[in-house]
């Protein structure tokens, strides 16, 4: 059984690397690279998503509590991903040259994906529809940038979605 587990692990790792390499090649287009860099920069430490949530607090005064709760869940997803990174300690991809610098050297899970997905789910519950495509672009940009494996991004997105879904009732409590 251990041989099968090792074979499956090698197969998964190889697929992860090949998919990352194929997506990273898209960054050779200067326009794609520019968008990737912009998304990377704005997504660092969840800044884009936290700013969106705080903007909701200011603009949508009737649902201020819900926006604060959604913003807190987005920050929680980001912090949780950072905690998991400290435990797992998976190195970033080394077989390609990244398009951006990173704040840390660990790859799993993607904190950009965690905060983006948490924001899309949490703020989506408040009726903000443009966020899911932007969050998806953020997740994809981590692969084009060459700083995460696809499994890192999937895990980060799952963590973000789970965090926001677990807090959905808490967000709804602030609708009014």
């Amino acid at each position: 059984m251990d041989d099968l587990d090792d074979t499956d692990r090698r197969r998964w790792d190889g697929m992860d690397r090949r998919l990352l390499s194929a997506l990273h090649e898209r960054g050779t287009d200067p326009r794609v690279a520019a968008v990737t860099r912009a998304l990377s920069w704005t997504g660092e430490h969840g800044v884009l998503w936290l700013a969106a949530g705080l903007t909701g607090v200011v603009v949508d005064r009737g649902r201020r509590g819900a926006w604060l709760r959604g913003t807190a869940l987005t920050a929680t997803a980001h912090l949780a991903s950072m905690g998991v990174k400290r435990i797992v300690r998976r190195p970033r991809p080394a077989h390609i040259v990244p398009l951006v610098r990173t704040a840390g050297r660990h790859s799993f899970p993607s904190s950009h994906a965690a905060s983006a997905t948490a924001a899309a789910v949490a703020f989506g519950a408040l009726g903000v529809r443009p966020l899911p495509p932007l969050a998806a672009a953020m997740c994809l940009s981590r692969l084009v940038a060459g700083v995460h494996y696809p499994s890192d991004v999937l895990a980060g997105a799952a963590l973000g979605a789970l965090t926001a879904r677990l807090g959905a009732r808490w967000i709804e409590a602030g609708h009014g």
Side-chain angles (χ1 to χ4, degrees):
M1 192 65 155
D2 286 318
D3 290 337
L4 181 59
D5 290 339
D6 286 342
T7 300
D8 288 342
R9 191 174 314 113
R10 282 192 304 274
R11 188 175 298 137
W12 178 260
D13 287 347
M15 184 174 56
D16 224 14
R17 288 171 59 100
R18 285 189 304 277
L19 184 55
L20 170 60
S21 295
L23 290 167
H24 180 62
E25 285 180 29
R26 302 304 170 248
T28 59
D29 180 320
R31 295 166 298 185
V32 172
V35 170
T36 296
R37 287 184 182 101
L39 286 168
S40 183
W41 182 77
T42 60
E44 196 65 49
H45 302 295
V47 169
L48 173 65
W49 316 111
L50 299 176
L54 295 176
T55 299
V57 169
V58 172
V59 173
D60 189 0
R61 293 178 186 217
R63 298 188 300 172
R64 181 176 285 165
W67 280 102
L68 284 170
R69 288 174 177 90
T71 303
L73 288 169
T74 299
T76 298
H78 184 80
L79 292 171
S81 71
M82 291 173 57
V84 172
K85 278 184 190 208
R86 289 180 179 262
I87 294 166
V88 175
R89 305 176 67 82
R90 182 183 193 185
R92 292 199 184 266
H95 68 286
I96 55 177
V97 178
L99 296 178
V100 297
R101 291 182 181 218
T102 59
R105 63 179 192 253
H106 298 121
S107 185
F108 184 92
S110 166
S111 296
H112 278 71
S115 59
T117 306
V121 172
F123 303 150
L126 296 171
V128 181
R129 299 294 173 232
L131 282 188
L134 184 56
M138 179 70 72
C139 291
L140 186 59
S141 77
R142 306 311 286 160
L143 302 170
V144 175
V147 295
H148 285 289
Y149 293 102
S151 56
D152 301 334
V153 173
L154 287 173
L159 177 61
L162 179 63
T163 302
R165 286 303 305 147
L166 288 174
R169 284 198 179 122
W170 188 49
I171 293 171
E172 291 167 6
H175 270 241

